[in-house]
Amino acid sequence: MIHKMKNAHFILLITSILLFSCNTTPEQQEPEVSISNESIFNLDSKWLTEENKEIMLKDLQGQTLVVAMIYTSCEAACPILLADMQNIASKIPTENQPFVRYVLVSIDPSTDTPQHLKAFAIANQMDGENWSFLQGDEKSIRELANVLSVKYKQIEPMDFSHSNIITVVDQNGIITFQQEGLGTDNTETIGQIIQVTKKAIKN
């Protein structure tokens, strides 16, 4: 009788161990990919694209981002800044292009509605799959501008003074390089984009 009881206790113990080993505890689960405190993907702002689709910046994770802040009614600096962006895009190797997204963020949300941004993108031949135009509210724009070190100020109803900066952001949202000025040599910017994109391709 004692022998049978010992066997029963042994079977119960083994069953308990097997059941415990089948249950995955939080410590055993794969850790989630953490985002650095320096990542722009920590910003919880919401944006509308030129397709009127709501996104967050973290939705762009996994791509190399080339970001500039503009407004479409600008007749002085922005056309040159846009030309710089197009020039950079034209020099990125074909194999890298699927991993790069060119992002243009409006600082004039009242004028630059998604519909207006869409028309602007088409008119400027910037409506390809790897181009995005974003409209946000004033708070979101100001927050992103601060992160990107872009200063801007409205001086008339449809006129702004602003920094002319093109920012390269890696697939985890970390700023890796900034080009400042208009019509400047973009060789280093292109090199940075290609270098950062290699990491995205490997992942």
Side-chain angles (χ1 to χ4, degrees):
M1 182 67 177
I2 293 173
H3 180 70
K4 288 182 179 179
M5 287 182 66
K6 285 182 177 179
N7 284 342
H9 287 156
F10 178 76
I11 292 169
L12 182 61
L13 177 62
I14 293 298
T15 303
S16 299
I17 292 171
L18 288 173
L19 286 173
F20 181 79
S21 65
C22 290
N23 290 326
T24 304
T25 63
E27 290 76 19
Q28 292 172 312
Q29 292 176 348
E30 289 288 334
E32 293 185 3
V33 177
S34 60
I35 296 176
S36 166
N37 290 334
E38 298 176 355
S39 173
I40 67 169
F41 298 146
N42 284 311
L43 302 178
D44 59 2
S45 49
K46 294 181 179 179
W47 305 81
L48 289 176
T49 70
E50 76 280 9
E51 302 293 346
N52 203 30
K53 177 184 177 182
E54 185 177 87
I55 68 167
M56 297 177 70
L57 294 177
K58 66 182 179 181
D59 293 327
L60 304 175
Q61 189 172 7
Q63 302 174 84
T64 301
L65 308 181
V66 185
V67 186
M69 303 190 79
I70 57 135
Y71 65 106
T72 61
S73 59
C74 176
E75 296 179 353
C78 293
I80 303 173
L81 190 60
L82 291 170
D84 287 341
M85 289 280 284
Q86 289 176 314
N87 185 261
I88 289 169
S90 71
K91 294 179 180 177
I92 301 301
T94 303
E95 62 269 23
N96 295 76
Q97 290 288 3
F99 301 92
V100 183
R101 180 162 296 275
Y102 307 95
V103 182
L104 293 159
V105 182
S106 173
I107 59 175
D108 183 14
S110 60
T111 300
D112 292 334
T113 62
Q115 295 79 10
H116 187 83
L117 291 172
K118 177 68 174 179
F120 183 85
I122 293 172
N124 288 275
Q125 299 181 332
M126 303 172 91
D127 57 328
E129 290 184 358
N130 52 350
W131 289 87
S132 291
F133 286 76
L134 301 182
Q135 178 212 38
D137 58 32
E138 294 285 355
K139 179 178 179 294
S140 299
I141 296 166
R142 186 64 65 183
E143 184 178 49
L144 180 59
N146 287 337
V147 171
L148 300 180
S149 300
V150 173
K151 301 184 186 306
Y152 71 93
K153 180 180 180 180
Q154 188 166 12
I155 52 180
E156 290 183 13
M158 294 182 67
D159 195 11
F160 295 77
S161 62
H162 59 90
S163 307
N164 298 297
I165 297 175
I166 294 174
T167 303
V168 180
V169 180
D170 74 11
Q171 64 269 25
N172 296 313
I174 304 299
I175 295 171
T176 65
F177 184 78
Q178 290 192 301
Q179 172 183 306
E180 189 168 1
L182 297 170
T184 60
D185 181 8
N186 54 32
T187 303
E188 192 173 357
T189 305
I190 293 164
Q192 283 288 323
I193 294 169
I194 294 172
Q195 182 179 337
V196 171
T197 304
K198 284 180 181 178
K199 297 179 183 177
I201 293 172
K202 288 179 181 178
N203 294 336

